[in-house]
Amino acid sequence: MTEVESLRPLAAVAVSAVAILGILAAHRRPNLRESVTLVSATVMFGVVASMVPGVLNGTVYVTRLGEVVTGVPFVLRADALGILFAVLASFLWIPTSLYSIGYMRGLDEGGQTRYFASFAGALSATMGIAFASNLVVLFVFYELLTVSTYPLVAHDETDEARSAGRKYLAYTFGGGVAVLAGTVLVYVAAGTVGFSAGGIEGLTGGAGTNVARLAFALLAGGFAVKAAVMPLHSWLPDAMVAPTPVSGLLHAVAVVKSGAFGLARVVLDVFGPDAIAEIGAGLPLAGLAVFTFITASVIALRKDNLKRRLAYSTIAQLSYIVMGLALLKPAALVGGLLHVPAHAFMKLTLFFCAGAIHVETHTDRISRMAGIGRRMPVTMTAFGVASLGMAGIPLLAGFVSKWYLLAGSFSAGNVVFAFALLLSGVLNIAYFWPVVYGAFFETREGSDEKPVIDANIGGYWSGVADHYAGGAFTDGGHGDEDDGGWKKPGWRGGEASPFVLVPILVAVGGAVVIGVAPATVYFFRIVRLVVENVTGVAV
Amino acid sequence: MTDALLGVVIALPVIASVVPLVASFWREEIGWYVAVVALVLNAVLIGSVVRSFVSGGILSHEVGGVAVPYGIELALDGLSAPVLVVIAVVSVGTLAYTRTAGPRSNSFYSGYLLLTAGLVGVTVTADVFNLYVFIEITGLGAYALIASGGDGRSAYAALKYLLVGTVGASLYLIGIAYAFVATGTLNMADLSARLADVGYGDTIVLASFAFIIAGLGVKVALFPLHTWQPDAYSASPYGVAGYVSALVSTVAAYALGRVILTVYTPGFLTANPVVSSGLIYFGALSIVAGSVLAVLQTDVRRLLAYSSVSQFGLIVAGFGIGNTASVFGSVVHLFGHAVMKGALFLTAGIIAYRFGVTRLDEYAGVARRVPYAGAAFAVLALSLVGVPPAIGFVGKWYVALGAVRAGETAVAVVIFASTLLTLMYVARLLDRMYYGEAPEAVADGGGGTRVTRGMVALVVLASVAVVALGPSASAVQETLALGEVLGG
Amino acid sequence: MTGIGLFAGHQYQIAFVLLVGVGLYTMIDAKNLVKKVIGLNIFQVGLFLFLVSSGYLAGAGPAIVDGEGRYVNPLPHVLILTAIVVGVSLTALALALIIRVYDEYGTLDEEHIQEVMDGD
């Protein structure tokens, strides 16, 4: 691996930081303001993409910026794992920005300057996380990510939004504190906090197993908060009160992925698979991940609010990544890491569709979405494709990562994990299928009761009749008015505006491409390189 | 030659403080100009003194040429240099603020200059009795300035502070009296050698240490000796509250650190583990109690006052742990907290002058009406929480590092938890400021004070500095050579 | 050593403790603000007594340049002079503040003042 001094990692972080100023300055001219966002997103992606060929050849781009604290250099480093995350986030920012424009204007939302500025800030922080060369720099940008996403979560300013925002702050800062504590322990034990593929030398030897276990627990726990591993997950469903593109950012582009990324760094570059096996921390983490994705999938079955269902789906899918990392076998690592972009594209598609539905029909409840496929066929087809991908159907993105995860579980020798994966695949289908089926094959008048959603656990039927008479369910503050009949106004049918539709198509297209021809998409090659560097095994 | 400047930087404000009073026979409102000239000049002199320390090492000056240990010595080393710098910066900065905001009477500026002289004196003196005198001078200046609000409430708060503060200073005096009885000297360096001879386990040495800590603890406003602080900070004018909160407790904490590290030395702490644990837990208690009390407050100034209790707990714990990392962390946090807390009070003043509000629930939505001041407030508050890369994080990092290295896990846990504790009240404040219906801007905040661009620019500058200084703090570590201070 | 003997040797320390105790107690217990200031003064006087007496040598004379024999340590005297001056200025400031408080609240009783302030 050759290190090359370059300003490109810094440029990637700085582009959107500078864009914040531009957005604030263009406060009164929305079109100018939005173009600042789009231009900086494109430039950022360009900068990051330009580093990919080099990284695949073994070059690592480095920007040195002095010291954060004594003994800890402030260095931005674009290595394989970092580039994986950075390419994903910067690419997805482009369609998310387009989508935001369509969404916010479609709903005539207020506070758009704050929104776009915070988004730019969040992306800057995400680039910083991706390119962090050690735990402290990672922590710095991790906290900045929390600070910049808080205004997005609490955007609506309703009581519910503000309380969700406070919960988000409490959870993520709490996670940050754990990360800091773990970082200090690692620094004291090993004398350094820099990432090195395969783990920091002497980390477990230096201070003893128990200290190493404590440090791992703190670091993993801290990152697990953002990665929504149970039982630290409850901020995520509450954060669904935010506008849909924010949910997309949170789930697919930046926030939970940064938690997963942090975890990946800890597993791969701070401790290393061998050290983790030594201290016996892999199995508990994997077990927690399995618990999470089974439980979250079951909970998702019962959620009527589409975004909440998607939230629990994210919690489950993120734990695939965690499990992949925790199993420590090369194949599992590949599966886990590949799921990062795979899930991102699929989940983004799903959220974009949910948002499009909301903009066009003001509907958030699955039970009221019967027949909507007739009005918005493109949207719902994309939704259907993405759901199939989530379940792991071949030729779609989710399949490749799941394949490797299964291979990894078998090679880890523990059949339970493989079985759990297959079970969750079934559950995935179980909670997505009704949405798709209802959208295309049912009509509003003819839709059935939904026993899984409406029945109390334990079997007593309550309020089923009320439900269809317009019973009192609360929603995320966006209103839940009925749109009588699915009319088809205009030339594009009942679909949302192109700003909204094109990103959906881009996202779902990406999911398809990753699934059909994974080797051509850089993600796969990058992931293989990462795992090879860490384990020395070519997968 | 430069070491003689150590005496000049004290003398200059003292002499200057007489001028406004004398000049008031001819002109009113001349105080501000005198203070500006004097303090800017003083800042320049401080700059040159610090520069000569940076290049040449520890400075030392014997007042009047009388040899140590009979005479009074003034000194500058890695522990006091940052404090001196922050005094210079904050004294000029607050002056810029009080031009429009604060009281403009001549007597106010006399008091201001006297207070500054006291602060500088505490920082550069190397004699424990001289320290007492300067602490009392600082106290006098502070009491007078706090009462400058003009109404009965501020006079009462100042009186309460006076009574409690004098008891504190007197306890300190008892402590150094015991030390004097035991060793016969008052010079810090000499005292430290003689105390070692007497023996760190000796009753009189322990007793003197206890009294000194108790006395300075009152001045630093550690829990439970802090009760004077919330009233004092909430009853005084905002410029004064900013100045006092930024510097008075800061130099008292510096004095505490100086006594623990230079006079008693870490050797004393090692020889008496009970003492060192006591000190550390005392600090930890303040961290927790201060934050919890801050969350319960409805008045913003009282909230900031209790927040200070918590932050100084961290600093004292750092001194108590006594290794290079934690002491450096305490010094960084002393500096950082001074800038942050002072600027927070000044910003609260801007909001109060603009909207006439002082209570947390009245703060709803104000940040949207004063975006720059609101942003500055948010940045400063988040830095206090410890969001990197601002200076609030840096101090905490080093103290935590020192705690873990020293094996003090309980304290390390408290330090990490303090982020969340601080977040509790900061989040409330920020949430209130940014969301909700904003009140109407009052023409003059009911006090005849308008908000100028300069005031807002000042607090914005402070918030930028707080973020920029974070990463640069570690560059200073070598220069400060705290290892020498610790007798390393 | 008899009880009186014990006292006789340490009369200054005992007086110190008594004065400090009385002073502190007055400060805490008295309701009248002026009495609190008086208590503060008593407290400080006790302290000064201790410090001055610490330099005392039995049978020694004052420290004069041309004097003979042993002399009492003059350093504490100097220190206490300084401290007395500080104490005087503090008392002056305290009394000035009390006057201001009296002008506003019309009373010197701390409880009454507290009531009025809480009522604001």
Side-chain angles (χ1 to χ4, degrees), chain A residues 206-278:
Chain A
T209 323
N210 281 327
V211 173
R213 280 193 186 135
L214 180 62
F216 183 80
L218 286 169
L219 285 170
F223 287 120
V225 172
K226 265 206 176 119
V229 175
M230 286 181 166
L232 305 164
H233 66 288
S234 82
W235 62 272
L236 192 54
D238 286 351
M240 289 304 98
V241 72
T244 305
V246 174
S247 305
L249 175 74
L250 292 177
H251 291 241
V253 180
V255 177
V256 298
K257 291 293 186 302
S258 69
F261 178 78
L263 211 51
R265 281 288 191 203
V266 170
V267 169
L268 299 175
D269 294 333
V270 175
F271 281 84
D274 297 326
I276 296 183
E278 226 181 280

Side-chain angles (χ1 to χ4, degrees), chain B residues 68-437:
Chain B
V68 155
Y70 302 111
I72 295 176
E73 185 190 357
L74 302 175
L76 190 68
D77 68 1
L79 189 59
S80 41
V83 181
L84 207 53
V85 171
V86 84
I87 292 175
V89 168
V90 174
S91 61
V92 175
T94 316
L95 211 49
Y97 186 88
T98 55
R99 180 160 183 246
T100 324
R104 295 220 40 184
S105 56
N106 287 344
S107 47
F108 175 78
Y109 287 106
S110 288
Y112 194 93
L113 286 164
L114 202 59
L115 177 55
T116 313
L119 294 168
V120 175
V122 171
T123 317
V124 301
T125 186
D127 177 293
V128 289
F129 186 79
N130 202 220
L131 186 64
Y132 165 75
V133 172
F134 279 118
I135 285 186
E136 289 288 56
I137 294 179
T138 309
L140 276 169
Y143 311 145
L145 286 186
I146 287 174
S148 66
D151 58 340
R153 262 194 77 216
S154 52
Y156 191 71
L159 184 65
K160 195 167 162 190
Y161 182 15
L162 185 153
L163 292 172
V164 177
T166 310
V167 170
S170 305
L171 289 175
Y172 171 79
L173 187 58
I174 296 178
I176 63 174
Y178 283 172
F180 177 67
V181 165
T183 61
T185 177
L186 292 167
N187 176 282
M188 284 185 190
D190 201 29
L191 196 53
S192 109
R194 304 263 188 108
L195 280 173
D197 291 337
V198 172
Y200 286 145
D202 202 84
T203 325
I204 199 169
V205 173
L206 288 169
S208 69
F209 185 78
F211 273 107
I212 290 176
I213 299 301
L216 289 175
V218 171
K219 286 287 184 179
V220 174
L222 292 174
F223 186 85
L225 307 165
H226 65 288
T227 46
W228 58 267
Q229 201 177 63
D231 290 329
Y233 288 3
S234 53
S236 52
Y238 284 94
V240 170
Y243 196 53
V244 171
S245 69
L247 291 182
V248 173
S249 294
T250 305
V251 300
Y254 155 78
L256 193 64
R258 171 63 74 195
V259 166
I260 296 175
L261 298 172
T262 306
V263 177
Y264 286 87
T265 75
F268 174 79
L269 294 175
T270 338
N272 296 295
V274 174
V275 170
S276 107
S277 304
L279 208 53
I280 297 172
Y281 289 130
F282 193 21
L285 178 63
S286 277
I287 296 176
V288 175
S291 308
V292 169
L293 288 169
V295 175
L296 300 173
Q297 298 305 312
T298 48
D299 179 290
V300 173
R301 287 175 294 184
R302 295 183 77 94
L303 184 146
L304 292 175
Y306 282 109
S307 157
S308 281
V309 173
S310 169
Q311 302 299 320
F312 278 107
L314 179 67
I315 293 172
V316 169
F319 285 136
I321 295 168
N323 57 34
T324 338
S326 65
V327 169
F328 180 64
S330 288
V331 170
V332 169
H333 205 61
L334 263 181
F335 189 98
H337 174 261
V339 178
M340 287 188 285
K341 198 44 75 64
L344 278 169
F345 267 105
L346 297 185
T347 319
I350 291 177
I351 295 175
Y353 294 139
R354 197 69 196 287
F355 300 105
V357 298
T358 52
R359 293 166 50 86
L360 202 53
D361 37 11
E362 295 167 336
Y363 259 54
V366 290
R368 289 193 295 213
R369 294 296 188 87
V370 277
Y372 291 105
F377 201 96
V379 169
L380 291 163
L382 287 174
S383 170
L384 205 60
V385 171
V387 174
I391 202 170
F393 162 70
V394 177
K396 219 169 249 190
W397 163 270
Y398 280 108
V399 178
L401 190 62
V404 172
R405 279 197 178 138
E408 298 275 355
T409 28
V411 177
V413 168
V414 170
I415 294 172
F416 290 127
S418 73
T419 306
L420 293 175
L421 293 169
T422 316
L423 182 66
M424 283 196 303
Y425 54 84
V426 165
R428 270 185 77 205
L429 200 47
L430 292 181
D431 174 83
R432 212 55 67 96
M433 271 176 62
Y434 277 97
Y435 301 117
E437 276 305 306

Side-chain angles (χ1 to χ4, degrees), chain A residues 68-70 157 162 166, chain B residues 368 397-398 431 435 474 477:
Chain A
V68 186
V69 286
T70 322
E157 298 189 27
R162 283 166 70 176
R166 284 195 293 268
Chain B
R368 289 193 295 213
W397 163 270
Y398 280 108
D431 174 83
Y435 301 117
S474 23
Q477 194 178 13

Side-chain angles (χ1 to χ4, degrees), chain A residues 94 117 151 175 310 388 446 474 478:
Chain A
I94 303 175
L310 292 178
L388 290 175
T474 53
H478 275 289

Side-chain angles (χ1 to χ4, degrees), chain A residues 203-499:
Chain A
L203 179 55
T204 44
T209 323
N210 281 327
V211 173
R213 280 193 186 135
L214 180 62
F216 183 80
L218 286 169
L219 285 170
F223 287 120
V225 172
K226 265 206 176 119
V229 175
M230 286 181 166
L232 305 164
H233 66 288
S234 82
W235 62 272
L236 192 54
D238 286 351
M240 289 304 98
V241 72
T244 305
V246 174
S247 305
L249 175 74
L250 292 177
H251 291 241
V253 180
V255 177
V256 298
K257 291 293 186 302
S258 69
F261 178 78
L263 211 51
R265 281 288 191 203
V266 170
V267 169
L268 299 175
D269 294 333
V270 175
F271 281 84
D274 297 326
I276 296 183
E278 226 181 280
I279 61 178
L283 212 49
L285 187 59
L288 203 53
V290 167
F291 170 74
T292 303
F293 65 68
I294 298 290
T295 316
S297 303
V298 170
I299 297 180
L301 286 173
R302 284 183 54 82
K303 291 290 167 190
D304 192 29
N305 183 306
L306 181 58
K307 282 174 70 173
R308 285 208 180 228
R309 187 173 285 205
L310 292 178
Y312 280 98
S313 163
T314 299
I315 296 173
Q317 299 278 327
L318 256 290
S319 281
Y320 286 179
I321 302 174
V322 175
M323 188 187 86
L325 291 170
L327 286 176
L328 307 174
K329 297 290 167 199
L333 292 174
V334 169
L337 288 175
L338 193 57
H339 205 57
V340 172
H343 172 255
F345 277 95
M346 296 188 292
K347 195 40 75 59
L348 201 60
T349 309
L350 293 171
F351 267 106
F352 283 171
C353 295
I357 295 172
H358 180 85
V359 169
E360 286 305 307
T361 67
H362 288 285
T363 314
D364 296 315
R365 306 190 152 285
I366 297 169
S367 48
R368 305 219 181 155
M369 285 181 189
I372 199 171
R374 282 179 239 286
R375 172 172 167 160
M376 306 174 76
V378 179
T379 307
M380 291 316 293
T381 311
F383 192 97
V385 169
S387 327
L388 290 175
M390 294 288 247
I393 303 298
L395 290 188
L396 292 168
F399 174 70
V400 190
S401 43
K402 214 164 224 166
W403 173 267
Y404 277 96
L405 282 173
L406 279 170
S409 338
F410 281 123
S411 76
N414 211 322
V415 189
V416 175
F417 296 115
F419 176 70
L421 270 174
L422 293 170
L423 175 61
S424 78
V426 171
L427 286 170
N428 260 305
I429 298 179
Y431 60 72
F432 277 127
W433 175 243
V435 184
V436 181
Y437 178 81
F440 284 111
F441 300 112
E442 285 185 356
T443 59
R444 290 198 50 79
E445 297 74 33
S447 52
D448 296 332
E449 297 153 354
K450 304 277 188 295
V452 181
I453 297 174
D454 300 322
N456 286 338
I457 295 181
Y460 170 69
W461 294 76
S462 72
V464 173
D466 292 354
H467 172 86
Y468 283 96
F473 288 98
T474 53
D475 192 359
H478 275 289
D480 199 82
E481 307 124 40
D482 213 37
D483 203 49
W486 301 120
K487 297 195 284 288
K488 285 194 186 190
W491 64 270
R492 59 172 193 265
E495 300 282 2
S497 78
F499 278 114

